[in-house]
Amino acid sequence: MKRWILAVLAALAAAVCFGCAASAKAERALFAMDTYMTLAAYGRNTDEALDECEAELVRLEKLFSATLPDSDAARIRLGAGGDVEVSADTAAILETALRVSAQSGGAFDVTIYPLVDAWGFLTEAPHVPSGDEIEDALTRVDYRRLVLSGQSVRVEPGMGVDFGGVAKGYASDRLMQIFRARGVKSAIVSLGGNVYALGARPDGGAWRVGVQDPLDASNVLGVLLVKDTAVITSGAYQRNFTENGKQYHHILNPATGYPADSGLVSVTIVGQNGAKADSLSTALFVLGEADAAKLWRADGTFGMVLVTSDRRVLVTDGLDFTLSDKAVGYRTVVLSS
Ligand code: AMP
Ligand code: MG
């Protein structure tokens, strides 16, 4: 065979192989932070990146868990009344959490631990606390009484932090940093209701991220087309229990001490800062439709899909959201700035 033909064939083979590598998919599934998680990455160096992502999720869980005895959250609680030195990650997650706590007027409150504990949400057997227990817990919930100075944290005795509303969003940001550092350009992770889509799909198209129907969790409400962003949902359906025929869910209103009852059944935030998007999803669920819209207009860095108990789907303009045919009885309303 002529040399030049061989050279062309070799070049073609290399191009084909390169094409294979660029779209090869690597996947992982794991359980961390009390959540079933899936990670998928495309292209080269993906196995090493996914190994590092898994290790990172385990590392962050050990820092942020409210129940593991040596976590930073536990150390802050046990060291209450004095200064506790925490990791750089804990200082960073607290910074975002405190900012959203202030931005939402305390609807999101990172010091909600005593209330979450009173409801037993950190155990296998949550229950309705007595009125006195709720009153007592609420005297110990106030993000303004947590002092963060560098990597030093101080809370008052009896107080504590709960990162349940922000940890997975923060973790998704860290995973994106790992992918970027390793040159991975196309990946998607789903940490429970927290999705982060890196770049575009390997074919260059937008990622399709489903939003669950909060009133029928086996159904998809609709699909968001996104690139390079977090899509994070808080919903009453995600964790709840029934006592005396009444259902109670895990997103608590720090103003009342009871599960938020704002008329919203789910809140999806679309934004590039995963930790902020996660805190906001919880905050806006507590705030309700009118205050959520106000905060959205004032902030200007994110999009949202709010679902109300009377089946309205409020979608901020600029988002590419399509209601599913299976979402019976819903109607979409566009919110404009
Ligand atoms: P998410 O699923 O992101 O809305 O977070 C819900 C979790 O955040 C709960 O399981 C609690 O651990 C915690 N949480 C509940 N209510 C609040 C609140 N008002 N502010 C901050 N964290 C909360
Ligand atoms: Mg959240």
Side-chain angles (χ1 to χ4, degrees):
M1 210 182 295
K2 289 221 165 64
R3 263 191 144 154
W4 68 269
I5 298 182
L6 277 177
V8 168
L9 283 177
L12 274 177
V16 170
C17 278
F18 180 76
C20 294
S23 59
K25 182 181 187 185
E27 283 177 289
R28 298 289 161 84
L30 68 148
F31 194 81
M33 301 183 170
D34 225 8
T35 305
Y36 177 69
M37 302 179 167
T38 57
L39 319 175
Y42 298 81
R44 284 169 293 172
N45 299 333
T46 47
D47 270 321
E48 297 86 339
L50 290 179
D51 285 345
E52 194 180 338
C53 286
E54 276 198 48
E56 180 65 0
L57 289 166
V58 172
R59 187 183 74 85
L60 292 176
E61 174 170 27
K62 285 187 183 144
L63 293 177
F64 298 155
S65 164
T67 48
L68 292 176
D70 296 326
S71 70
D72 276 354
R75 292 176 51 251
I76 290 170
R77 210 162 60 229
L78 293 172
D83 290 327
V84 176
E85 285 301 305
V86 297
S87 63
D89 287 289
T90 300
I93 198 175
L94 265 173
E95 207 177 297
T96 302
L98 287 172
R99 212 175 313 127
V100 175
S101 296
Q103 189 181 9
S104 65
F108 181 86
D109 192 321
V110 70
T111 67
I112 198 140
Y113 173 84
L115 189 62
V116 173
D117 187 40
W119 280 84
F121 274 117
L122 298 166
T123 70
E124 294 296 311
H127 59 272
V128 183
S130 70
D132 284 351
E133 283 172 307
I134 288 180
E135 285 296 303
D136 171 60
L138 284 180
T139 63
R140 295 178 283 123
V141 175
D142 185 354
Y143 68 95
R144 292 164 300 188
R145 284 156 38 209
L146 180 151
V147 183
L148 171 68
S149 166
Q151 282 177 230
S152 167
V153 182
R154 177 191 279 260
V155 294
E156 294 173 14
M159 290 179 69
V161 292
D162 181 316
F163 295 125
V166 56
K168 284 175 270 170
Y170 182 89
S172 71
D173 290 333
R174 287 285 309 128
L175 301 189
M176 296 308 121
Q177 286 167 10
I178 290 170
F179 286 136
R180 289 192 186 102
R182 288 186 175 267
V184 175
K185 294 193 169 55
S186 174
I188 189 158
V189 300
S190 174
L191 320 179
N194 295 236
V195 171
Y196 207 120
L198 175 68
R201 287 193 330 203
D203 65 4
W207 298 100
R208 297 167 54 81
V209 179
V211 177
Q212 248 175 298
D213 181 343
L215 300 172
D216 175 4
S218 61
N219 241 341
V220 172
L221 176 76
V223 173
L224 278 163
L225 289 186
V226 296
K227 285 182 182 174
D228 241 333
T229 191
V231 179
I232 294 186
T233 300
S234 285
Y237 61 90
Q238 287 169 339
R239 189 169 298 195
N240 52 56
F241 69 94
T242 303
E243 193 171 302
N244 295 329
K246 192 168 153 41
Q247 208 179 67
Y248 300 88
H249 63 77
H250 68 309
I251 303 174
L252 302 172
N253 183 349
T256 64
Y258 285 84
D261 183 20
S262 67
L264 294 178
V265 285
S266 83
V267 172
T268 299
I269 304 290
V270 182
Q272 287 184 323
N273 181 333
K276 178 177 175 182
D278 195 358
S279 315
L280 281 172
S281 70
T282 312
L284 301 195
F285 188 95
V286 173
L287 283 176
E289 177 178 341
D291 285 340
K294 245 188 242 167
L295 195 152
W296 169 69
R297 288 195 179 94
D299 184 282
T301 69
F302 67 94
M304 64 184 186
V305 179
L306 309 178
V307 186
T308 66
S309 54
D310 61 357
R311 292 183 189 255
R312 283 172 301 124
V313 183
L314 312 175
V315 183
T316 56
D317 60 1
L319 286 187
D320 188 339
F321 176 82
T322 309
L323 202 62
S324 157
D325 300 342
K326 293 191 183 119
V328 184
Y330 284 98
R331 67 197 163 89
T332 308
V333 182
V334 176
L335 282 183
S336 44
S337 41

